[in-house]
């Protein structure tokens, strides 16, 4: 496995391997969720590139850019164990040099859910992912469904801008007790770890009610909110039942309905989601 920091060097490498690269974009502090994406990438292409870049343009001014967890040496071991060929770890000054002025924005899909709570977030995500596609030139790029809206936005961007990249979405990897793996889990205190289960409990409550025949979104929402309201340390950002393609609100749920939620546990904002009829 090699580590490339320079954008120019990455592009030069990519030119030689064009058509045979699978890219896994990440912000580092790698865990089993990321590893599952790398394992899938390994199956799909001869060369696996993992990018590690805590992208400043997707963080709002009061967000956790500075406190975002980082540990390059640990990341290097996780990536090597997953059979990665190249870690691309650019510096912010190389990605956004002085005078930088260009941004890519998907409209519509980005105004709701996480986009409403984090204005400008998806503009930063699509900008950096478009740059990564141009630098790494992947034939396929692998993303996790934990960031369901991000995956929908990237699929839209690829269609609308005719990027020649196959987008693959992979299932959410969870801890044994249900907590979705996330780099930000590392910022939970010991006392916040148990209350953080309120997200997966909300999902379980909604799924149980749906399986028992409940279709009213108003009723399902009440059921899902209960585990969150029980935790004094948890503050709801949003909990929504949406059409999984358009992300538009629904009044009646079916098998394809997306339940997406974001909850602040102390100062740590966590997200989770499920499609009611899946698994
Ligand atoms: N538990 C998980 N299961 C599957 N994929 C995941 C999981 N967590 C993250 N990913 C995916 O890994 C990729 C990189 O995500 P990122 O580096 O932001 O990690 P993260 O753990 O989601 O961090 P954050 O704390 O920012 O939510 C994204 O495509 C994301 O959806
Ligand atoms: C896709 C991504 C790597 C872009 O910075 C980031 O949003 C993430 O880690 O999900
Ligand atoms: N996983 C999405 C990256 C972010 O929260 O900024």
């Amino acid at each position: 496995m090699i580590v490339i920091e320079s954008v120019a060097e990455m592009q030069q490498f990519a030119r030689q391997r064009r058509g045979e690269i699978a890219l896994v974009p990440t912000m580092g502090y790698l865990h089993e969720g990321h590893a599952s994406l790398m394992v899938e990438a390994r199956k799909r292409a001869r060369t696996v590139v993992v990018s590690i870049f805590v992208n400043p343009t997707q963080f709002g001014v009061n967000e956790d850019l500075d406190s975002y967890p980082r540990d390059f040496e640990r990341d290097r071991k996780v990536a090597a164990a997953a059979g990665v060929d190249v870690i691309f770890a650019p510096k912010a000054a190389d990605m956004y040099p002085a005078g930088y002025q260009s941004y890519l924005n998907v409209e519509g899909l980005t105004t709701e859910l996480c986009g409403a709570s984090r204005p400008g977030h998806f503009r930063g995500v699509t900008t950096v992912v478009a740059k990564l596609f141009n630098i790494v030139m992947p034939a396929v790029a692998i993303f996790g469904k934990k960031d369901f809206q991000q995956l929908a936005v990237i699929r839209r961007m690829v269609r609308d801008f005719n990027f020649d990249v196959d987008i693959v979405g992979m299932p959410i990897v969870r801890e044994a007790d249900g907590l979705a793996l996330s780099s930000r889990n590392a910022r939970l205190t010991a006392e916040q770890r148990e209350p953080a289960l309120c997200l997966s409990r909300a999902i379980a409550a909604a799924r149980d009610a749906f399986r028992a025949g409940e279709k009213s979104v108003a009723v399902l929402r009440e059921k899902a909110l209960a585990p969150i309201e029980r935790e004094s340390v948890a503050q709801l950002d949003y909990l929504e039942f949406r059409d999984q393609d358009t992300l538009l609100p629904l009044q009646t749920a079916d098998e394809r309905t997306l339940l997406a939620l974001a909850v602040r546990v102390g100062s740590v904002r966590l997200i989770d989601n499920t499609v009611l009829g899946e698994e």
Side-chain angles (χ1 to χ4, degrees):
M1 188 178 76
I2 59 170
V3 177
I4 298 180
E5 288 191 357
S6 142
V7 167
E9 216 178 293
M10 184 68 243
Q11 221 160 15
Q12 196 183 357
F13 177 97
R15 247 178 244 123
Q16 287 153 14
R17 307 269 182 122
R18 209 177 180 135
E20 54 182 68
I21 294 178
L23 171 66
V24 180
T26 82
M27 303 208 302
Y29 214 74
L30 303 177
H31 50 64
E32 285 302 312
H34 298 117
S36 73
L37 310 185
M38 297 174 206
V39 167
E40 183 64 22
R42 189 64 288 159
K43 291 184 199 152
R44 287 177 180 261
R46 213 184 110 203
T47 304
V48 175
V49 178
V50 171
S51 62
I52 298 182
F53 180 58
V54 184
N55 172 39
T57 64
Q58 70 189 69
F59 287 80
V61 274
N62 295 318
E63 290 185 357
D64 56 351
L65 174 62
D66 295 334
S67 59
Y68 196 85
R70 292 163 169 88
D71 185 344
F72 189 75
E73 281 319 306
R74 193 168 147 273
D75 287 350
R76 190 201 283 268
K77 287 183 193 132
V78 175
V84 167
D85 300 297
V86 180
I87 293 181
F88 174 50
K91 297 276 185 279
D94 203 7
M95 291 291 272
Y96 301 108
Y100 189 88
Q101 334 193 341
S102 303
Y103 295 87
L104 192 156
N105 194 38
V106 171
E107 299 180 2
L109 275 183
T110 61
T111 58
E112 303 263 325
L113 307 174
C114 284
S117 329
R118 304 183 66 186
H121 168 65
F122 287 115
R123 175 178 180 261
V125 169
T126 44
T127 297
V128 80
V129 171
K131 284 171 69 68
L132 289 169
F133 286 176
N134 284 333
I135 296 164
V136 180
M137 303 173 210
V140 53
I142 325 270
F143 294 87
K145 290 186 184 168
K146 197 202 72 180
D147 299 79
F148 194 97
Q149 187 177 15
Q150 169 171 281
L151 179 58
V153 167
I154 287 166
R155 286 192 194 282
R156 187 77 257 169
M157 174 188 91
V158 164
R159 273 202 297 277
D160 290 352
F161 274 87
N162 311 98
F163 279 102
D164 191 14
V165 183
D166 284 340
I167 303 299
V168 175
M170 294 297 292
I172 301 175
V173 178
R174 296 176 181 280
E175 301 278 9
D177 62 7
L179 182 68
L181 294 187
S182 166
S183 307
R184 287 186 173 95
N185 292 349
R187 293 185 46 232
L188 294 168
T189 63
E191 297 73 44
Q192 291 164 348
R193 176 62 181 75
E194 210 280 332
L197 289 176
C198 68
L199 286 94
S200 52
R201 286 180 182 143
I203 286 175
R207 288 174 69 94
D208 287 351
F210 179 75
R211 282 211 196 100
E214 185 57 65
K215 298 286 183 319
S216 156
V217 160
V219 175
L220 291 170
R221 190 164 189 277
E222 283 307 307
K223 304 266 185 208
L225 284 175
I228 299 167
E229 286 165 352
R230 273 200 294 275
E231 301 296 346
S232 56
V233 71
Q235 203 197 326
L236 182 71
D237 179 346
Y238 67 78
L239 187 150
E240 296 286 329
F241 293 81
R242 298 291 173 106
D243 178 278
Q244 63 167 290
D245 299 317
T246 63
L247 303 183
L248 291 173
L250 299 168
Q251 257 140 41
T252 307
D254 66 22
E255 304 271 310
R256 297 192 71 256
T257 298
L258 170 74
L259 162 55
L261 69 162
V263 176
R264 221 169 264 287
V265 180
S267 67
V268 188
R269 184 175 175 283
L270 300 176
I271 59 172
D272 204 343
N273 70 78
T274 195
V275 172
L276 292 177
E278 278 182 11
E279 284 139 52

